[in-house]
Amino acid sequence: MAPPLSHDEFFSSLTNLLSKTSEKARGSVSMTQKSLPNSESNSPPSTLIRITDGNTNAPMPKADKQGKITKNTSSKIKFSTIVTSDDLETFYTRYAELCKTGMTGMKKRDRKRKTKAKGGASKAVKA
């Protein structure tokens, strides 16, 4: 795996990944966090933050219209950064703003409730 990026490089890579994902109108981006113990016992632990896209390392082959099997050759995008406990609050503030702007391509959820009656007949309402 590549060495951890600086915070500015991390945010620019995340911006690029979110824009590519929203252009495709499909895909996923996931973030994981891991606490890293420090060598000094008195100092609070740092946090390793990883970002990956939804591609897998061994994609499933797909058949085209002629029946030929082709493999998806795109590789998985992975990058990370290490955040000290002192910088954690400012990091998450900037991360939240970036995620909000990166979610502009998402569809809004349809919140209308569909009412279905059993058996196709509607039930009578008591007045």
Side-chain angles (χ1 to χ4, degrees), residues 44-106:
S46 298
T47 304
L48 173 68
I49 298 181
R50 294 182 187 132
I51 300 288
T52 59
D53 67 344
N55 292 336
T56 61
N57 290 331
M60 298 283 292
K62 294 182 179 180
D64 60 3
K65 292 181 180 179
Q66 290 83 23
K68 295 179 183 177
I69 295 178
T70 58
K71 288 187 177 182
N72 186 359
T73 58
S74 62
S75 61
K76 190 171 192 172
I77 298 172
K78 299 188 242 181
F79 52 94
S80 64
T81 189
I82 296 176
V83 183
T84 61
S85 60
D86 299 334
D87 298 334
L88 205 56
E89 188 173 336
T90 56
F91 179 86
Y92 278 125
T93 303
R94 189 170 170 193
Y95 175 77
E97 290 171 8
L98 185 72
C99 286
K100 286 177 188 175
T101 58
M103 292 184 192
T104 56
M106 294 179 69

